[in-house]
Structure formats: structure tokens, C-alpha cells
Amino acid sequence: MRDPSTGRLKRKKYMLDKYAPGKERDFMAMQIMANIYDQVMRGWNPWVAFPSARGDVLFTNIIIRYRAYIIKLVQKKVMSEKTKTDYFSRLKILEEFLEDRSCKTMKAFQFNLTCMTDFLDYILLDRDASAKTRNNYRTWLSAFNTWLVQKQYLQQNHVSDIPILPERVKFREALTDHDLQRLSSYLTIHDRRFLLACMMEYYTFIRPTELTKIRIRDISIGQQTVFVSSTISKNRRDGMVALNDRIVKMMIDLAVFSHPGSDYLFGKDFTPSREKAESRIFRERFAIIRNELGFPDCYQFYSLKDSGIRDLANEQGIVVAKDQARHSDISVTNKYLVGRDKQVNEATKHFKGKL
């Protein structure tokens, strides 16, 4: 059986020395094997001691039951339709997170403090949510945990151990021009495949969770575009973004298009692959590079999107940046431009007023 703590197969021995060799020992061996097979088919694992009565239930089945429970509350008018919609929306994001982590066979007991903390980091970092949105997810997660404890899937509500974030101006900052050049020079020498990932974030503004789902067939060299399907985009709408000349050249140099169109653009080692990588590979790799270059902690992989929006807006206008970022409104794009990044209209300096 596979030990969940290590992810490796582990042998479990049953000693039959107390039985005499021959029919008696053979009979007992067959009995033990039959019992083990029956237990394994019901989800039993000898290397896991479940702290709760239902700790071995598949988490996918729990989600199905939770949805049915919420629907029943609405039917009985205990919960409003609006609250149901909100809960289902957050539950859908949790499912996306688990799918991103390839956790289809996860059991209830594995939905622990580490998993919940990673989920809230996924909301804040990978989905680029505000501290307030992340805190709202924490509130919902606590309510979900209370239900899990009541139904004996978990032994305790772990969310109480996760702190609430201060809701202030975001900690993440865009890279300066000088540091962008340092990053490019360093990666050109040491890691060109990750440089391509950084360029995709800087020039296309495609979110990390979306980047892991982009396939080579979504890229058009002739039109220099990347298609972002509604099935993978945050706003659930199809989108088309422009592909910068430098990215096209880099893709050709790295022989990206020699891979099948069904391959994901970025695998675990940032090479095209049939296997989808987890979105955290971008921030984890960037954290290593950040330390090597001595960058401040406020520089994160998603900072490249901030930097790109700032530079494109200042050079080509905020409307161009809005369209490339697939924002619904200019006000959303404006949030990426802190005070020192904004430029004034030159015409305003020479406006002749009536005063």
C-alpha cells in the first residue's frame, strides 16, 4: 500500500508463524487476504490512523454531499439563494485548487491545516485577490469546517489557527526598470525557460493559474495571439491576448512548437509537457531567483504583471493595457498603477483656463 505521508509504496507484513505449515496456515492466509481486499476497496489504508469517524471518505464525495446540504437549506428557507450562490462560487474555487494540486483521490483527513493554508495562499497569490477577498474566503472556509466537524469528517476546525490578514494596500510591488533588466540578464544565462514564463507574465498578463492550463495549440504564431478559453479564465469569458515579438522569438529558440499541440506550454520544469503543472511552480521558482538576486520580498512572480501593465499603460495608454489584461473596466486596470507609476496628460500642462 502507498503511505500518504511519503507518497511511496510500503510493505506491510502479517506473520503466520503461530499456525502450523500446511492447510491451516494456507487457510488463514486466504482469510487475511480476503479481509484486507474488502477493507482496501472501502478506502482503508494501514498507514493512516483516522482521527475522525469519517476521515477516510473521499473529499470529492464530501463536496457532493455539502452541495446537497446547502440546496436543502435553501429549500427549507434556512439559507437565502444569494448565500447559496456565494457558497457554491467559493466551493468551485476550492475544487479548482484541488484539481490544480491533482488531489482527486484526497481523503477527508488530508484536508488539514496545511492544505487550508495553501488554499488561502492560492486565493491571495495565484488568483491575485485582495487581502479582503482572502479574508472572506477564510470566513467561508471556517463555516465549511464547522460542517465538516459536525458530520465527523474532521476532528476540529483548523481555520481558527489561520490569521486574518490586515486589509491595507497590497504588499506586492512592481519591479523597477533596473531590476527588470537584472532579472532578464540573469535568466538569459541561467534559466531561459523560466525567463519565457516571466515574459509571458510581463507581456500577456495571463494569470499563473491560467498559464498552467495554456496549451501550445492555443498559441498562434501567424496572428501572434494566445487564446484564453472561458474554461480556464478567472472571469469565465473567452479572451485573446497579444503575443509580443520577443516572446515569439524566445518560443522558437526554445523549440516550443516542436511539441504536440495538446501539450501544456509549461510543465513542472517549465518545458512543454503532457502533464499539467501546479500554479505554485511560478512563485516558488521566482522566490529562489529573488533570493539569488537580493530582491525585496515585495517582488513576487505576479509583480511582473504589475510591471507590465504599468509599462504598457505609460507607453501605449491605459485603454491598451486594459484590453491586454482582459479587464472589464479601466478602474480595474488603474488599481495596478500606484501613484508614482501614473503619468499626467501633457496637454493638461498647457491648458489655458478662464481663471
Side-chain angles (χ1 to χ4, degrees):
M1 290 291 292
R2 193 175 300 278
D3 185 349
S5 64
T6 63
R8 297 181 179 179
L9 292 175
K10 187 176 179 181
R11 187 187 302 274
K12 184 172 179 62
K13 293 182 179 180
Y14 290 86
M15 305 304 293
L16 301 176
D17 294 347
K18 63 180 179 179
Y19 301 106
K23 290 185 178 180
E24 183 183 13
R25 183 179 293 183
D26 293 343
F27 175 77
M28 292 306 301
M30 291 180 65
Q31 285 281 85
I32 292 174
M33 286 190 291
N35 289 335
I36 291 175
Y37 177 80
D38 182 61
Q39 288 178 307
V40 169
M41 293 303 293
R42 288 188 282 112
W44 173 75
N45 188 313
W47 311 121
V48 178
F50 300 113
S52 55
R54 297 179 176 176
D56 61 337
V57 177
L58 279 173
F59 203 76
T60 51
N61 292 338
I62 293 175
I63 290 177
I64 293 173
R65 293 172 189 174
Y66 182 66
R67 279 202 174 92
Y69 172 77
I70 295 300
I71 291 173
K72 185 63 68 174
L73 290 183
V74 174
Q75 291 174 347
K76 293 181 177 295
K77 300 190 183 303
V78 176
M79 179 182 288
S80 68
E81 188 70 34
K82 181 179 179 181
T83 301
K84 185 201 83 170
T85 301
D86 178 68
Y87 277 27
F88 277 17
S89 174
R90 299 183 193 281
L91 191 62
K92 180 65 176 175
I93 301 302
L94 175 60
E95 287 181 301
E96 291 180 4
F97 163 75
L98 296 176
E99 181 183 350
D100 187 52
R101 296 296 179 88
S102 302
C103 295
K104 293 182 179 179
T105 59
M106 188 179 85
K107 300 293 182 66
F109 78 95
Q110 293 174 300
F111 192 57
N112 51 25
L113 178 60
T114 300
C115 184
M116 295 176 202
T117 302
D118 287 347
F119 171 60
L120 293 178
D121 286 346
Y122 171 83
I123 298 297
L124 182 70
L125 302 175
D126 295 337
R127 292 183 62 83
D128 190 34
S130 65
K132 181 178 180 180
T133 298
R134 179 267 190 194
N135 289 340
N136 289 340
Y137 269 89
R138 180 191 175 279
T139 301
W140 167 78
L141 193 60
S142 181
F144 181 42
N145 265 248
T146 298
W147 181 83
L148 291 172
V149 173
Q150 290 173 349
K151 302 303 178 184
Q152 300 185 56
Y153 295 117
L154 294 180
Q155 196 172 35
Q156 67 181 83
N157 188 337
H158 298 287
V159 179
S160 58
D161 296 323
I162 303 176
I164 296 174
L165 293 183
E167 296 177 9
R168 54 177 181 257
V169 177
K170 64 185 180 183
F171 172 71
R172 190 182 73 239
E173 290 187 9
L175 279 69
T176 65
D177 293 348
H178 175 66
D179 286 340
L180 283 171
Q181 293 169 5
R182 286 182 61 203
L183 178 66
S184 178
S185 299
Y186 180 86
L187 293 178
T188 298
I189 298 172
H190 298 284
D191 194 344
R192 296 181 71 213
R193 293 198 178 277
F194 186 62
L195 174 59
L196 176 61
C198 291
M199 291 171 67
M200 286 290 291
E201 192 64 32
Y202 175 81
Y203 285 108
T204 70
F205 315 149
I206 297 177
R207 303 172 182 90
T209 52
E210 298 169 345
L211 273 182
T212 61
K213 300 173 185 177
I214 294 293
R215 297 178 188 265
I216 294 176
R217 65 183 175 216
D218 297 323
I219 302 169
S220 171
I221 302 181
Q223 297 180 356
Q224 287 192 214
T225 57
V226 180
F227 174 65
V228 184
S229 168
S230 60
T231 60
I232 68 173
S233 67
K234 180 181 178 180
N235 59 16
R236 299 300 172 194
R237 294 197 297 268
D238 289 341
M240 193 75 76
V241 298
L243 206 57
N244 187 273
D245 296 332
R246 292 189 60 203
I247 295 181
V248 174
K249 184 179 184 305
M250 176 69 77
M251 286 181 170
I252 294 174
D253 290 345
L254 294 176
V256 166
F257 300 106
S258 64
H259 294 264
S262 58
D263 277 10
Y264 292 100
L265 176 60
F266 294 112
K268 292 182 179 179
D269 58 353
F270 304 103
T271 303
S273 171
R274 289 181 296 177
E275 302 294 327
K276 188 182 78 66
E278 297 179 9
S279 58
R280 62 180 176 181
I281 64 170
F282 299 109
R283 54 184 166 93
E284 288 178 350
R285 178 60 179 148
F286 189 85
I288 295 173
I289 302 299
R290 181 179 61 212
N291 291 335
E292 291 177 352
L293 293 177
F295 284 163
D297 290 343
C298 59
Y299 283 2
Q300 300 168 24
F301 180 74
Y302 218 104
S303 295
L304 294 167
K305 179 177 181 179
D306 299 340
S307 310
I309 290 178
R310 173 200 64 198
D311 295 345
L312 182 61
N314 287 338
E315 183 171 325
Q316 300 295 332
I318 195 169
V319 174
V320 175
K322 163 190 166 294
D323 293 340
Q324 178 73 345
R326 292 171 290 139
H327 289 158
S328 58
D329 190 84
I330 287 179
S331 61
V332 180
T333 313
N334 252 322
K335 293 179 181 179
Y336 286 81
L337 305 177
V338 297
R340 66 174 179 274
D341 295 328
K342 297 180 179 180
Q343 293 185 348
V344 298
N345 191 313
E346 287 298 314
T348 309
K349 296 180 181 178
H350 312 292
F351 166 65
K352 299 183 184 300
K354 304 297 182 183
L355 182 62

